[in-house]
Amino acid sequence: MSGAVVIDAPGEHRLVPHEPREPGPGEALVRVHAAGICGSDREVYQGNRPEGYVRYPVTPGHEWSGTVERVGAGVPASLAGRGVVGEGFRNCQVCDRCHAGETTLCTAGYEETGFTRPGAMAPTLTLPARLLHVLPDGADLTAAALLEPAACIAAAALKANARPGERVAVVGTGTLGMFAVQFLRAASPGELLVVGTRGDREALSRQYGATDFRTKDQPLPDDFDVVVETAGSADAARTAAALLRRGGRLVLTGIPAPGADGLDPTDLVVRQLEVHTVFGAPPDAWAHTVRVFAAGLLDPRPLVTHELPLDGFAEAIELVGSGDPKVGKVLLRP
């Protein structure tokens, strides 16, 4: 028996005894290797996650990797011992959106691991086996703990549908931005521009495949075919739209604070921009992410800067919100 993080209410957390929940029919019990902390976990802790998108008390942890220990009835026994990652959305599987593969739009309502269901900031996690994606033998499980945010960006890359030779750009240089660079680089763009607020991210951006890097206060072009925004601010969304040529394609993945000024609808219509948004990752984006990771085209490891035990949850939350440029991805290790 060991501990699990529980957030009882905004600003209140504790480490509680943890006993694995045996897998029922169709379920698997996973030994957690690592769980990532992201901005939405801070929202849960601070109490500013939108109503309906968290249910207290809750064990957080929607970004994770681990190894299957046991499976329930109806699940192939061969899954035991395999390294895995898992989808967070607990979709109903029977509504029209689920049948279309758009599980993040499930009409049965919102349920997600780490927000309304127990998450991975615990030694084990029991969940439906259908949500698991098996990793290659010998995969780096520490790197794989970042595949959930990568899958969200894979969804954006699939919607962007960048074609070889097109001019593409990424706005934002955090974890999501660096994943966007890698996914878009795999599409063989003619140019790949990264726009951010931190000049110190240029080297990593170029390492991942960027051909140009600029901060948003430098002169920016206005003739790109595809732009993916990852920064999560209204200002970043406007910067992203301004980078596009007439008829260009924009994908927004960041979530600005409520009430933020948005894009100019007149500009969108007159320039005939094609705008997509992403919230979470459906199964096809997860499958795409695991394939790209297995092929060695996605390298999350350099993004990890801190690894802490579960009892370092409070410190991890502070690190993520510190604004320190030396803080990248923070992982908790049960």
Side-chain angles (χ1 to χ4, degrees):
M1 183 169 66
S2 53
V5 175
V6 171
I7 301 175
D8 289 307
E12 300 176 14
H13 83 282
R14 57 197 168 106
L15 207 63
V16 304
H18 173 80
E19 288 283 1
R21 182 174 71 79
E22 287 302 310
E27 293 185 323
L29 186 153
V30 176
R31 176 68 55 180
V32 177
H33 174 82
I37 301 251
C38 86
S40 56
D41 295 306
R42 290 190 75 240
E43 290 177 351
V44 171
Y45 184 64
Q46 294 174 338
N48 50 18
R49 186 155 173 88
E51 185 178 356
Y53 288 86
V54 63
R55 188 159 58 237
Y56 300 102
V58 65
T59 292
H62 60 287
E63 304 177 2
W64 58 271
S65 65
T67 303
V68 176
E69 284 205 345
R70 295 190 289 281
V71 298
V75 180
S78 59
L79 195 61
R82 299 300 303 271
V84 293
V85 291
E87 299 175 33
F89 282 79
R90 303 295 185 92
N91 53 294
C92 75
Q93 302 183 81
V94 297
C95 72
D96 59 343
R97 292 301 89 208
C98 285
H99 279 293
E102 298 174 333
T103 55
T104 59
L105 298 175
C106 177
T107 60
Y110 172 79
E111 295 284 349
E112 186 175 4
T113 299
F115 297 106
T116 64
R117 301 289 185 92
M121 292 185 193
T124 69
L125 174 65
T126 302
L127 74 168
R130 62 182 172 80
L131 299 177
L132 298 178
H133 291 262
V134 178
L135 300 170
D137 290 337
D140 181 346
L141 289 181
T142 299
L146 277 68
L147 292 187
E148 191 278 340
C152 295
I153 294 301
L158 291 171
K159 287 190 175 185
N161 191 29
R163 294 179 281 272
E166 287 193 312
R167 305 179 71 213
V168 303
V170 174
V171 175
T173 57
T175 298
L176 298 182
M178 294 301 95
F179 280 135
V181 173
Q182 295 179 73
F183 279 114
L184 293 172
R185 181 68 186 90
S188 301
E191 294 181 48
L192 177 46
L193 168 67
V194 175
V195 178
T197 58
R198 292 170 44 187
D200 63 319
R201 297 294 269 185
E202 179 172 2
L204 186 58
S205 298
R206 291 187 181 276
Q207 176 184 323
Y208 280 144
T211 59
D212 192 8
F213 181 95
R214 304 187 195 186
T215 54
K216 65 177 186 176
D217 55 348
Q218 293 177 299
L220 297 175
D222 61 1
D223 55 356
F224 274 62
D225 300 295
V226 175
V227 179
V228 175
E229 176 276 324
T230 68
S233 71
D235 183 57
R238 289 189 290 269
T239 297
L243 288 167
L244 286 165
R245 63 166 172 80
R246 288 171 57 86
R249 306 189 296 283
L250 172 64
V251 185
L252 304 173
T253 71
I255 303 177
D261 291 333
L263 300 173
D264 180 358
T266 300
D267 180 62
L268 298 180
V269 173
V270 170
R271 293 204 291 139
Q272 300 182 62
L273 299 183
E274 183 180 322
V275 181
H276 297 272
T277 61
V278 168
F279 177 66
D284 64 339
W286 272 97
H288 183 61
T289 299
V290 173
R291 284 194 300 267
V292 173
F293 178 67
L297 299 175
L298 190 68
D299 184 13
R301 205 61 165 83
L303 301 174
V304 178
T305 59
H306 294 75
E307 298 181 51
L308 303 171
L310 284 179
D311 60 10
F313 173 76
E315 180 184 352
I317 289 290
E318 288 185 11
L319 283 169
V320 170
S322 68
D324 185 341
K326 295 181 180 179
V327 177
K329 198 65 185 178
V330 179
L331 300 182
L332 294 182
R333 297 286 299 272

